[in-house]
Amino acid sequence: MSRLAPRFAELRRAGRAALVPYITAGDPDKSASVPLMHALVKAGADVLELGVPFSDPMADGPVIQRACVRALKHGTTLADVLGMVREFRRTDARTPVVLMGYLNPVEAFGTEAFTVAAAEAGVDGVLSVDMPPEEAVPLAGLLRARGIDPVFLLAPTTDAARLQRICETAAGFVYYVALKGVTGAANLDVAEVRRRLEVVRRATRLPVGVGFGVRDAHSAAQLASVADAVVVGSAIVDRVEEFGHRRAELLTQVGAFVSELRQAMDAARV
Amino acid sequence: MSRALEKTASFRESLRRVPDANGHFGAYGGRFVAETLMGPVEALRLAYAQCRRDADFQTELQRDLRDFVGRPSPLYLAERLTGECRGARIYLKREDLDHTGAHKINNALGQALLAKRMHKTRLIAETGAGQHGVATATVAARFGFECVVYMGEEDMRRQAINVYRMKLLGAKVVPVTSGSRTLKDALNEAMRDWVANVDSTFYVIGTVAGPHPYPMMVRDFHACIGEETRRQALSAEGRLPDALVACVGGGSNAIGLFHAFLDDDVKLYGVEAGGEGLASGKHAASLSAGRSGVLHGNRTYLLEDAAGQIRETHSISAGLDYPGVGPEHAWLKDIGRVTYDTVTDTQALQAFHALTRKEGIMPALESAHALAYAMQLAPRMQPEQFLVVNLSGRGDKDIDTVARHEGIEL
């Protein structure tokens, strides 16, 4: 069963918002990912989002595009990413892991075979960016059958009817895209997000995460007071890019940044 | 004939009534985009559905197709080429005579009129060979839109003249340096622009691919090619052609020619870029050598590696250098209605020279692929038969490429 629901229940009891850092698997190389995952948890991550690299990441900004290029240069495949989750699970049985990526590598792997392998590896949720609920058959059903939550995006341009439909198809949590743009853009409007989340909460009892455009501790803290989870991607991948060639420093730098986010978010909730 | 097609034919169902309400052509097509784009794509679907039925819109479109584009384009009997091939008569549908020199303007014009109806102020486009970019820049100038064209850095080098044409027309050409720096990456970049600027911006997709309604809408705007060909063939020969031949990159000129004939007893041939040969791996033949997958908002045939990463493609013709293909072609292949085959760079170049010397018409390298195939096909047909090749563009833009290929410095 997915670890997402129990984790969000635990956080709700503690009155905290989940910190969900994103890294692209295989960036800067395959051996870096599992140590990075553990470092993120140690620094205060509640849920991990692991990006599956794709050659054509249409919804991503330049930072995550470059991460995909680095990961693919080393030939990181979806099978490798599942291997990383399996290895991570040897010493961490509790932290939920959500895979985020695009549909084509999943289909190349084999949709059903992927859901079997992902469940076996210990994956808790799958967010396929270019798969809206209209096209979610058969993947969403196959994931649910294996106890994995299909996670979906909500956008500022999502209307009421689609909101309803997405919330009915989604499990684990829904992920509100805080801006009109690609990942890593820098035009976050917290007041607008707050207003939109009120609408989302009327449509679902699922926890609501917010991401795209969370640049720093300040914006993470602001969102922590309105959302159940704050997803930070490009800002972390930026640091992976900067320190990627110095392994020891990579883990401390990324860890320090995530700790900073954690402290700011917890302070905002008090 | 495949079983699926027999079934369709026996029920006398039209093959022209696709896609379904969700944009599916059989198993292909659909709307595989991030939620951030679903709203804009749906708004476009509704706006287009309205314009499709709107008499004023259609009148305005027809008027500009006639007075601005120069339609109908002629159907020309290539007598000397026919003599050389010793077989069926070869006709050319002269899309090279359209304003801006290629069929792409039909669609750019249609989408620009739609953008006007939707009160957008900015047009964006992706381009490979530059023909669609030039067409979009042209209609932007015609209607007073701001215009940004995304073009792979590699393609900008190959098609320097078209880059300058776009600039003269007032468009901003943005070099795309991600991925393979060609058409597919330009498309990714244009999608990213669209999602960030959706309130002001209309994304003019240049081929029959992308999320629904693009494959259907772009097809509709090019369907005039086949409708005219039908009338012109009936008037010239008193009957429909025995075969139609068109090149297929994304597949817009091919669908434009084929669509009016899908329910008729006319053989249809789509010609993909065989590059240096399928065995070399250096080609852009997604239907002939690819498999089903999801890219750029639709399910279709793709060139990809075993792990599902999109492969880099090769063709001497920038306009065919794309790892996917329109979903309607994927469906037409599966049901066996259209035969898809390939022509190599070398064969296309030979056809380029043949048409130039025999008919005084310099074809685009894209169209030269269709021509090369027709020159193989005609001798295998009877002299009383006739076929139509879609001469989708003129070759001026390719003179540098041809010269370079022959070791000539201009």
Side-chain angles (χ1 to χ4, degrees):
Chain A
M1 277 307 286
S2 164
R3 296 163 187 81
L4 283 165
R7 174 54 52 103
F8 276 107
E10 204 178 289
L11 286 161
R12 190 166 298 168
R13 282 194 298 275
R16 294 168 72 198
L19 171 55
V20 187
Y22 164 101
I23 54 169
T24 300
D27 171 32
D29 57 59
K30 290 188 210 178
S31 68
S33 297
V34 175
L36 263 172
M37 290 166 79
H38 286 301
L40 293 170
V41 174
K42 203 174 144 204
D46 300 296
V47 175
L48 297 181
E49 213 172 83
L50 194 57
V52 180
F54 183 48
S55 54
D56 294 79
M58 242 167 51
D60 285 298
V63 172
I64 293 176
Q65 287 174 46
R66 288 197 298 272
C68 285
V69 169
R70 290 191 295 272
L72 291 175
K73 210 169 74 188
H74 302 290
T76 308
T77 64
L78 180 54
D80 292 329
V81 179
L82 294 174
M84 291 168 194
V85 178
R86 206 175 299 123
E87 193 187 329
F88 173 76
R89 283 276 170 255
R90 284 194 201 132
T91 47
D92 188 328
R94 293 194 66 237
T95 309
V97 175
V98 176
L99 298 188
M100 179 170 178
Y102 295 78
L103 196 50
N104 205 53
V106 169
E107 295 203 347
F109 191 100
T111 304
E112 181 149 24
F114 163 72
T115 58
V116 173
E120 181 267 328
V123 170
D124 302 285
V126 171
L127 168 51
S128 187
V129 177
D130 55 352
M131 185 187 73
E134 286 84 348
E135 305 286 357
V137 177
L139 181 58
L142 288 168
L143 287 170
R144 277 174 179 272
R146 301 278 165 190
I148 300 175
D149 294 324
V151 177
F152 286 90
L153 297 174
L154 298 170
T157 47
T158 304
D159 66 21
R162 289 189 53 74
L163 174 63
Q164 202 59 46
R165 177 166 192 175
I166 293 167
C167 291
E168 280 161 14
T169 317
F173 66 102
V174 288
Y175 183 147
Y176 180 73
V177 176
L179 49 84
K180 288 180 184 170
V182 293
T183 55
N187 43 349
L188 187 66
D189 178 348
V190 177
E192 170 65 10
V193 172
R194 183 191 299 271
R195 202 182 58 74
R196 288 289 304 175
L197 290 200
E198 283 165 16
V199 179
V200 174
R201 288 191 198 283
R202 285 199 287 274
T204 184
R205 299 183 60 182
L206 287 171
V208 185
V210 175
F212 284 45
V214 187
R215 302 292 310 162
D216 50 27
H218 177 68
S219 44
Q222 284 183 298
L223 290 174
S225 59
V226 296
D228 300 303
V230 179
V231 186
V232 186
S234 299
I236 291 173
V237 176
D238 252 340
R239 282 156 176 86
V240 175
E241 181 169 43
E242 190 181 347
F243 299 103
H245 52 289
R246 283 167 287 171
R247 181 63 50 86
E249 210 174 333
L250 171 69
L251 297 183
T252 40
Q253 289 287 347
V254 170
F257 179 59
V258 171
S259 299
E260 193 190 319
L261 296 172
R262 169 85 277 162
Q263 282 159 22
M265 283 170 59
D266 288 348
R269 275 281 185 130
V270 172
Chain B
M1 197 186 267
S2 81
R3 199 186 295 165
L5 183 57
E6 269 172 32
K7 192 169 162 236
T8 311
S10 70
F11 282 104
R12 294 197 171 278
E13 262 174 30
S14 174
L15 296 177
R16 304 178 64 202
R17 284 200 204 113
V18 286
D20 69 13
N22 291 314
H24 293 121
F25 301 85
Y28 304 99
R31 284 185 287 189
F32 292 89
V33 292
E35 183 58 26
T36 41
L37 270 180
M38 281 303 280
V41 160
E42 181 63 8
L44 177 63
R45 187 186 68 78
L46 290 171
Y48 177 59
Q50 214 168 42
C51 287
R52 216 181 178 194
R53 292 188 305 263
D54 183 292
D56 290 347
F57 180 86
Q58 293 301 333
T59 305
E60 198 179 353
L61 176 62
Q62 293 311 320
R63 193 183 55 220
D64 258 29
L65 282 173
R66 187 189 64 214
D67 301 340
F68 186 65
V69 176
R71 303 207 72 89
S73 68
L75 184 67
Y76 168 78
L77 174 60
E79 285 179 89
R80 298 228 307 141
L81 192 71
T82 299
E84 171 103 349
C85 293
R86 297 163 190 269
R89 285 186 298 287
I90 299 173
Y91 282 85
L92 307 177
K93 179 60 175 164
R94 298 291 307 276
E95 293 299 301
D96 60 317
L97 295 178
D98 294 347
H99 181 40
T100 72
H103 73 292
K104 294 288 184 190
I105 189 82
N106 302 323
N107 166 55
L109 174 65
Q111 292 198 46
L113 287 174
L114 185 54
K116 217 170 78 174
R117 294 287 170 111
M118 294 177 77
H119 307 292
K120 306 290 184 186
T121 56
R122 180 171 176 265
L123 301 184
I124 58 169
E126 84 294 337
T127 196
Q131 291 305 100
H132 173 59
V134 167
T136 305
T138 299
V139 294
R142 159 84 178 80
F143 296 108
F145 289 104
E146 183 192 343
C147 182
V148 175
V149 178
Y150 290 93
M151 189 168 186
E153 204 176 43
E154 170 66 16
D155 288 336
M156 284 179 75
R157 191 184 57 75
R158 288 196 280 194
Q159 305 287 344
I161 294 172
N162 271 344
V163 173
Y164 187 56
R165 282 170 84 190
M166 287 183 266
K167 287 181 182 165
L168 287 173
L169 288 159
K172 184 177 162 204
V173 183
V174 179
V176 175
T177 56
S178 57
S180 56
R181 305 174 181 213
T182 59
L183 180 54
K184 81 172 176 76
D185 309 284
L187 218 148
N188 292 335
E189 216 46 51
M191 286 272 188
R192 292 177 186 124
D193 178 317
W194 193 28
V195 72
N197 300 292
V198 68
D199 295 330
S200 67
T201 299
F202 189 104
Y203 179 16
V204 184
I205 292 189
T207 192
V208 285
H212 180 61
Y214 282 105
M216 174 183 81
M217 178 172 72
V218 177
R219 175 199 70 196
D220 292 351
F221 287 140
H222 284 306
C224 54
I225 302 172
E227 285 155 12
E228 287 172 11
T229 301
R230 245 187 116 85
R231 286 196 297 275
Q232 291 165 325
L234 287 172
S235 132
E237 295 273 349
R239 63 187 181 86
L240 296 183
D242 297 284
L244 304 177
V245 186
C247 65
V248 177
S252 65
N253 88 81
I255 283 286
L257 178 63
F258 295 167
H259 193 251
F261 294 92
L262 285 178
D263 294 331
D264 298 302
D265 188 19
V266 175
K267 289 197 165 66
L268 307 176
Y269 298 93
V271 185
E272 295 191 286
E276 296 176 14
L278 293 190
S280 72
K282 289 185 170 175
H283 59 79
S286 35
L287 288 164
S288 305
R291 63 166 194 245
S292 172
V294 172
L295 179 71
H296 293 155
N298 61 158
R299 182 185 300 286
T300 187
Y301 277 82
L302 299 175
L303 291 171
E304 56 178 71
D305 68 14
Q309 307 298 342
I310 306 308
R311 272 179 39 195
E312 293 191 9
T313 52
H314 164 83
S315 170
I316 190 166
S317 142
L320 301 182
D321 205 349
Y322 178 65
V325 64
E328 190 164 2
H329 285 293
W331 174 69
L332 290 169
K333 175 190 162 77
D334 280 12
I335 65 169
R337 177 63 187 96
V338 179
T339 303
Y340 294 93
D341 208 333
T342 61
V343 150
T344 63
D345 289 349
T346 309
Q347 290 169 320
L349 275 168
Q350 283 165 356
F352 172 92
H353 286 300
L355 193 70
T356 304
R357 297 294 286 268
K358 286 283 168 194
E359 298 287 348
I361 297 171
M362 205 175 280
L365 284 174
E366 290 79 12
S367 322
H369 283 73
L371 202 64
Y373 193 80
M375 288 166 68
Q376 296 167 18
L377 192 64
R380 300 201 301 267
M381 293 167 67
Q382 300 304 314
E384 61 274 17
Q385 293 185 300
F386 74 105
L387 60 80
V388 176
V389 180
N390 198 0
L391 202 72
S392 54
R394 68 174 184 227
D396 311 45
K397 69 179 176 63
D398 294 316
I399 290 174
D400 275 348
T401 306
V402 173
R404 206 177 309 127
H405 207 265
E406 283 158 14
I408 297 163
E409 204 60 51
L410 293 181

